[in-house]
Amino acid sequence: MSQKKTETGMVYPVIALRGITVFPGMILHFDLNRKKSIAAVNAAMQNNQEVVVSCQKQTDIDEPGMEDLYPESTIVEIKQVTKMPGNLMRVLVEGKTRATIEKLDTCTHKFYTAVVTPFWEEQEGITEAEEIAMLRVTMETVTAYLEHFPRIAKTMENQIQESMNLSQVIDRVAANIPIPYAKKQQILSAYHLKDRFELINKILLEEIDIAGIRENLAEEIKNKVEKNQREYILREQLSYIRSELNGEDSLTETEIFIQQLEALQADDEIKEKIRKEINRYETVSHSSAESSVERTYIETLLEMPWNHVSEDNTDIEHAKEILERNHYGMEKVKERILEFLAVRQMTDSGDAPIICLVGPPGTGKTSIAKSVAEALGKKYQRICLGGVRDEAEIRGHRRTYVGAMMGQVAGAIRHAKVSNPLILLDEIDKVSNDYKGDTFSALLEVLDPDQNKHFRDHYIELPLDLSRVLFIATANTTSTIPRPLLDRMEVIEVSGYTENEKFHIAKEHLVKKQLLVNGMGSGRLKLADRAIKDIILYYTKEAGVRELERKIGTVCRKCAREYLQNGRENIKVSSLNLGDYLGKRIYLLQMANKKNEIGIVRGLAWTQVGGDTLEIEVNIMPGKGEIVLTGQMGDVMQESAVIGLSYIRSVASKYKIGQDFFKKNDVHIHIPEGAVPKDGPSAGITMATAMLSAITKRKVDCKLAMTGEITLRGRVLPIGGLKEKLLAAKTAGIKKVLVSSENKKDIEEISAEITDGIELVYVTCMEDVLAHAFV
């Protein structure tokens, strides 16, 4: 097609561009994919290589008409055409002059044509001096603009030359600055040079203001940032981006807290408190230390299981099966748990009991708590109180302190993730106190059923309901536990195991466990029943079974070595070869004497590792009436010896003892095993009987033992630890045991396994004792 001149202007092929405005003197390339645009380029290349480029008003229109194009356009010369993959054409053009589209033809050809009238800017009324001034003002504005955009400055240096006039400078600046194409079109459309001057300077000054505001915002954010606070920088950048995007982004920390609060199972009072803390956190500067403290506090409150409870398993038979499977004996503990389940099943309520298991080490107090948790279907948490001396360990620290944290009770509930777990307070008798506070007093509120419904941890500062928590405490003795605290707990005595109980525990639990641990299962090692009993009798001396388990483990390890080194299979350990694995017997039983003797009486004692028998010896020798006590007797035991001697002197005439006997003779009382400290009043009647036997030369029954406290008038008072004492008597081969008649109620609670084979005689005074003791 050749250019034709009409009455109004020249006819040119037209290319409609999306979002691109071309200025005179501007060299750029663009890609074309519309068939009409490509046809227009081909037509121009066959003529003088000139086309008109016009910018669309809306970029989403594929077939624009006259009303869709800006009439102010540019006549350009095509410098290079390159065909690209995908039916694309890349065109390099140079702007020549401004033009106005008078009429657009969309139907005659395969491409758009238009009647175009070129126009040149008007400079009417502008003197040469004014043009130079406007040029300098424009350059100063451009320089100020480029200070904010150093990357554009590098491109602009090559585009603007000193020889250019004002019109050329304006076109080059407008072509290179990143502004919307609508504003560029305004500059292109301005006929008068002065109008273009005002437009370009106005746009540049607006961009300078925007850049200044942006830099100020960045500077304000930067001033709030401390060194190495990467997390803070990311948060501020996210906040700035969100404000630019009108909040169309991921959730903020505060919004996450609000979502968690809505899902929280808690009372309205607690939720309102957490909501206030969240609002306060939102106003705190994230760069301050208080922000971190507040965030940790809110996270703690949201993690607490306020009203979230687990469903208890109230099946009594199921609970009984688990307790019997995991533990042998401990009938009182099992009975109390099953009673609790029965009440819960009958009433659908019932406060959880607060139980304190008191007994020697190794008797299964801690492990039974785990079994109780399993039987009830409760979460299990353990708090070790041994050596705890700071009240804050129980109640928590106040939030005003640096590094404050919640107490161990609240922490256990938080870790359990339910508000009704089983919490084991281990070694409660070993709590200590110092200047920081009384730990026992802090436990008073925790373990009081009437007060712990509103327990307040100093850190949480909100009421925490502990009435749903099942507390089980363990202790070796109640002597160190204050009376007010002891009164709040239901004390259950866990006495030492009998030999038979130890045998069953070892056979049913310990042996299987050690065989598995030491790799001797699958029939590689068989431990005979007699060997287990010998380990109990001759290699251990304890109330529990920890040392017993260690001895069984020793046997298993030695057998494992034999299995590997010597290739022995099906190893059998009996009482005959037990010494090959454990060495010589460590403990020898103090068996009852074989004949009746004068001045020797068998007493019974309680120790932390079980019961024991004491052979009390008395000798009479010429002297000055003194009493000599040896065998590391404690103060109470020494007083019992003096009381016994005073009683004998008061009844001397009845037993035909001379008036001057106690002035001319000394009495020496000795208890063998002098390296072992001994104390307590229970040997009172034993020492009195031994002294009277030595003084009157009357023999005492060798198959008899006794225990009881004596008074000056010869009354026999009750004592404790009867189960362990009777067990020791049975082991030593004693056939008859004398106890206070007031201990009859205690004897009735002892299992028949212990009392079988022993004749129990109840005595009220020394006359009854002597009647059975003397042969």
Side-chain angles (χ1 to χ4, degrees):
M1 170 189 168
S2 62
Q3 288 184 1
K4 295 181 180 180
K5 187 173 181 180
T6 66
E7 294 180 357
T8 56
M10 300 294 292
V11 178
Y12 285 88
V14 177
I15 299 175
L17 299 178
R18 290 187 175 99
I20 299 177
T21 301
V22 182
F23 289 88
M26 181 179 178
I27 298 176
L28 81 161
H29 61 79
F30 47 79
D31 294 340
L32 303 176
N33 64 351
R34 283 191 286 207
K35 293 181 178 180
K36 288 191 176 184
S37 298
I38 294 173
V41 171
N42 292 332
M45 293 301 292
Q46 294 174 6
N47 196 11
N48 62 352
Q49 300 183 356
E50 289 184 347
V51 294
V52 172
V53 291
S54 179
C55 183
Q56 292 183 198
K57 295 178 181 179
Q58 301 294 332
T59 59
D60 56 348
I61 298 176
D62 292 331
E63 298 291 337
M66 181 67 186
E67 69 280 0
D68 299 320
L69 298 176
Y70 288 106
E72 293 77 15
S73 54
T74 306
I75 299 174
V76 301
E77 181 183 355
I78 300 174
K79 296 292 187 181
Q80 184 180 354
V81 176
T82 305
K83 291 186 178 180
M84 306 290 292
N87 296 322
L88 291 179
M89 177 180 286
R90 179 164 295 175
V91 182
L92 179 67
V93 300
E94 179 182 2
K96 291 298 183 180
T97 184
R98 288 174 168 78
T100 302
I101 298 176
E102 303 293 346
K103 183 180 179 182
L104 183 67
D105 182 2
T106 61
C107 300
T108 305
H109 303 283
K110 294 181 179 180
F111 51 89
Y112 293 159
T113 60
V115 177
V116 177
T117 302
F119 71 86
W120 290 264
E121 71 272 2
E122 297 182 8
Q123 299 185 5
E124 186 177 331
I126 300 176
T127 64
E128 184 178 352
E130 287 177 336
E131 184 177 355
I132 294 173
M134 286 191 291
L135 178 59
R136 290 179 180 178
V137 169
T138 302
M139 291 303 297
E140 289 174 0
T141 307
V142 171
T143 302
Y145 173 83
L146 295 178
E147 289 179 356
H148 296 281
F149 299 95
R151 292 184 179 178
I152 300 176
K154 295 179 180 179
T155 305
M156 202 79 78
E157 288 177 358
N158 300 325
Q159 295 287 334
I160 301 176
Q161 301 174 5
E162 293 183 2
S163 60
M164 289 182 176
N165 58 29
L166 177 60
S167 177
Q168 292 173 329
V169 169
I170 292 173
D171 287 346
R172 294 298 173 89
V173 171
N176 286 282
I177 61 175
I179 58 175
Y181 68 89
K183 289 186 177 181
K184 290 186 177 184
Q185 191 65 38
Q186 291 178 9
I187 299 172
L188 181 67
S189 302
Y191 285 90
H192 203 284
L193 182 60
K194 190 173 183 180
D195 293 340
R196 270 191 281 160
F197 163 76
E198 291 175 354
L199 272 173
I200 191 64
N201 279 277
K202 179 183 177 183
I203 292 172
L204 288 175
L205 290 173
E206 288 177 353
E207 292 296 319
I208 290 171
D209 289 340
I210 294 173
I213 294 171
R214 178 178 60 81
E215 291 172 358
N216 289 337
L217 287 173
E219 186 66 25
E220 287 177 7
I221 294 174
K222 184 178 179 181
N223 290 337
K224 295 179 182 179
V225 177
E226 294 180 2
K227 290 183 178 180
N228 301 324
Q229 287 190 326
R230 179 176 179 275
E231 180 184 354
Y232 173 78
I233 295 172
L234 294 174
R235 189 181 298 112
E236 289 297 327
Q237 289 179 346
L238 178 61
S239 176
Y240 180 77
I241 294 171
R242 283 174 54 81
S243 65
E244 291 295 315
L245 297 175
N246 297 321
E248 298 175 0
D249 207 344
S250 59
L251 296 175
T252 63
E253 211 167 24
T254 304
E255 291 170 338
I256 293 173
F257 287 155
I258 293 293
Q259 284 190 354
Q260 292 176 350
L261 177 61
E262 295 300 327
L264 187 66
Q265 298 180 26
D267 296 336
D268 293 339
E269 174 192 358
I270 294 170
K271 285 192 172 184
E272 184 61 29
K273 167 71 173 175
I274 299 175
R275 188 173 285 106
K276 288 181 180 179
E277 293 295 332
I278 293 174
N279 294 336
R280 183 169 180 271
Y281 170 70
E282 197 170 14
T283 61
V284 174
S285 173
H286 292 307
S287 60
S288 65
E290 187 179 2
S291 173
S292 175
V293 174
E294 190 69 28
R295 183 172 64 253
T296 303
Y297 180 59
I298 294 172
E299 289 173 348
T300 300
L301 294 182
L302 291 173
E303 288 176 3
M304 291 298 294
W306 299 100
N307 290 343
H308 179 59
V309 297
S310 61
E311 185 177 352
D312 290 349
N313 188 341
T314 57
D315 187 345
I316 296 180
E317 292 300 324
H318 171 74
K320 183 178 180 181
E321 179 185 347
I322 291 177
L323 294 175
E324 292 292 346
R325 181 191 68 200
N326 295 343
H327 288 81
Y328 185 88
M330 306 187 80
E331 300 301 331
K332 289 185 179 180
V333 182
K334 297 175 182 176
E335 184 180 348
R336 182 64 185 89
I337 298 302
L338 296 178
E339 288 173 358
F340 163 68
L341 278 180
V343 173
R344 176 65 63 89
Q345 199 167 5
M346 293 287 289
T347 63
D348 291 329
S349 61
D351 291 336
I354 298 174
I355 300 171
C356 182
L357 307 179
V358 181
T363 51
K365 300 183 297 298
T366 302
S367 60
I368 189 74
K370 287 185 179 180
S371 296
V372 171
E374 181 185 354
L376 300 182
K378 285 181 174 289
K379 297 285 187 179
Y380 172 79
Q381 291 292 317
R382 175 178 174 268
I383 299 176
C384 184
L385 296 177
V388 172
R389 61 181 183 276
D390 189 355
E391 175 234 359
E393 293 282 346
I394 306 300
R395 285 187 172 275
H397 302 83
R398 299 193 183 276
R399 284 199 293 146
T400 53
Y401 296 106
V402 177
M405 63 179 67
M406 65 174 65
Q408 292 198 46
V409 176
I413 294 176
R414 177 187 179 186
H415 291 305
K417 298 181 180 179
V418 291
S419 60
N420 62 334
L422 184 150
I423 297 181
L424 174 67
L425 302 176
D426 211 6
E427 310 291 356
I428 196 172
D429 58 323
K430 296 175 180 61
V431 172
S432 58
N433 303 319
D434 65 1
Y435 67 93
K436 294 182 180 178
D438 186 355
T439 312
F440 276 122
S441 298
L443 285 169
L444 289 176
E445 184 183 1
V446 174
L447 299 180
D448 191 330
D450 296 327
Q451 297 181 31
N452 62 10
K453 291 182 180 179
H454 304 286
F455 172 74
R456 282 185 177 268
D457 186 276
H458 286 162
Y459 181 80
I460 295 178
E461 297 178 348
L462 287 170
L464 195 61
D465 187 0
L466 300 182
S467 63
R468 293 174 289 202
V469 178
L470 173 56
F471 286 103
I472 297 182
T474 67
N476 296 129
T477 177
T478 57
S479 60
T480 58
I481 303 176
R483 188 67 197 176
L485 181 60
L486 199 62
D487 186 57
R488 284 164 167 78
M489 299 185 291
E490 183 178 342
V491 178
I492 298 179
E493 296 283 346
V494 181
S495 55
Y497 294 118
T498 65
E499 288 178 19
N500 189 48
E501 287 174 335
K502 288 181 181 180
F503 171 74
H504 285 292
I505 292 171
K507 188 172 182 179
E508 296 173 13
H509 300 283
L510 303 184
V511 173
K512 294 178 181 178
K513 178 182 176 182
Q514 288 301 320
L515 287 176
L516 183 64
V517 168
N518 294 284
M520 294 301 291
S522 303
R524 293 174 180 172
L525 170 63
K526 184 177 181 181
L527 201 59
D529 292 351
R530 185 65 253 178
I532 297 174
K533 292 180 179 178
D534 283 359
I535 295 175
I536 296 170
L537 288 174
Y538 304 116
Y539 294 92
T540 63
K541 192 174 185 180
E542 57 177 347
V545 292
R546 284 181 181 152
E547 184 64 22
L548 175 59
E549 184 177 4
R550 284 192 284 267
K551 293 297 182 183
I552 294 173
T554 301
V555 173
C556 292
R557 289 193 299 274
K558 291 184 180 296
C559 291
R561 182 180 175 184
E562 283 188 13
Y563 179 84
L564 291 175
Q565 289 185 341
N566 304 330
R568 288 188 59 188
E569 295 185 3
N570 301 323
I571 302 174
K572 296 182 180 180
V573 177
S574 65
S575 60
L576 298 177
N577 63 349
L578 182 62
D580 298 338
Y581 300 97
L582 295 180
K584 295 181 179 179
R585 293 179 176 179
I586 301 174
Y587 303 104
L588 299 176
L589 297 179
Q590 291 187 1
M591 301 302 294
N593 295 338
K594 295 183 179 180
K595 62 178 182 177
N596 305 330
E597 297 188 52
I598 296 172
I600 297 179
V601 182
R602 183 77 63 167
L604 301 176
W606 178 92
T607 68
Q608 288 190 347
V609 296
D612 201 359
T613 61
L614 297 176
E615 191 175 65
I616 297 178
E617 300 176 345
V618 176
N619 265 351
I620 306 298
M621 63 204 85
K624 300 178 181 180
E626 297 178 352
I627 181 171
V628 181
L629 304 172
T630 57
Q632 275 214 62
M633 298 187 197
D635 293 339
V636 177
M637 184 171 274
Q638 292 181 24
E639 290 176 358
S640 295
V642 174
I643 293 170
L645 182 60
S646 297
Y647 166 74
I648 294 172
R649 293 179 67 176
S650 69
V651 295
S653 59
K654 182 178 178 180
Y655 293 95
K656 299 179 181 181
I657 302 172
Q659 294 292 331
D660 57 350
F661 179 86
F662 297 100
K663 294 181 180 179
K664 298 180 179 180
N665 295 281
D666 292 342
V667 178
H668 186 168
I669 303 176
H670 176 69
I671 303 178
E673 297 187 23
V676 181
K678 309 165 191 72
D679 204 358
S682 62
I685 63 173
T686 312
M687 289 189 287
T689 303
M691 285 188 286
L692 189 58
S693 169
I695 293 170
T696 60
K697 307 299 182 183
R698 298 184 65 177
K699 294 183 178 181
V700 178
D701 186 355
C702 65
K703 300 296 183 182
L704 174 142
M706 60 185 71
T707 180
E709 181 180 353
I710 188 175
T711 68
L712 282 173
R713 300 300 178 90
R715 290 185 296 117
V716 180
L717 302 183
I719 43 77
L722 269 177
K723 177 184 175 182
E724 289 80 5
K725 291 178 180 180
L726 292 178
L727 184 59
K730 187 173 184 179
T731 304
I734 301 297
K735 300 300 182 183
K736 182 189 292 187
V737 176
L738 308 183
V739 297
S740 171
S741 58
E742 295 182 36
N743 279 123
K744 188 173 183 179
K745 60 183 186 301
D746 302 316
I747 297 293
E748 291 173 353
E749 294 183 1
I750 299 175
S751 64
E753 177 190 341
I754 297 175
T755 57
D756 284 349
I758 297 179
E759 180 186 354
L760 292 170
V761 179
Y762 301 104
V763 293
T764 57
C765 59
M766 279 302 297
E767 284 82 359
D768 296 340
V769 173
L770 298 174
H772 288 278
F774 288 157
V775 176

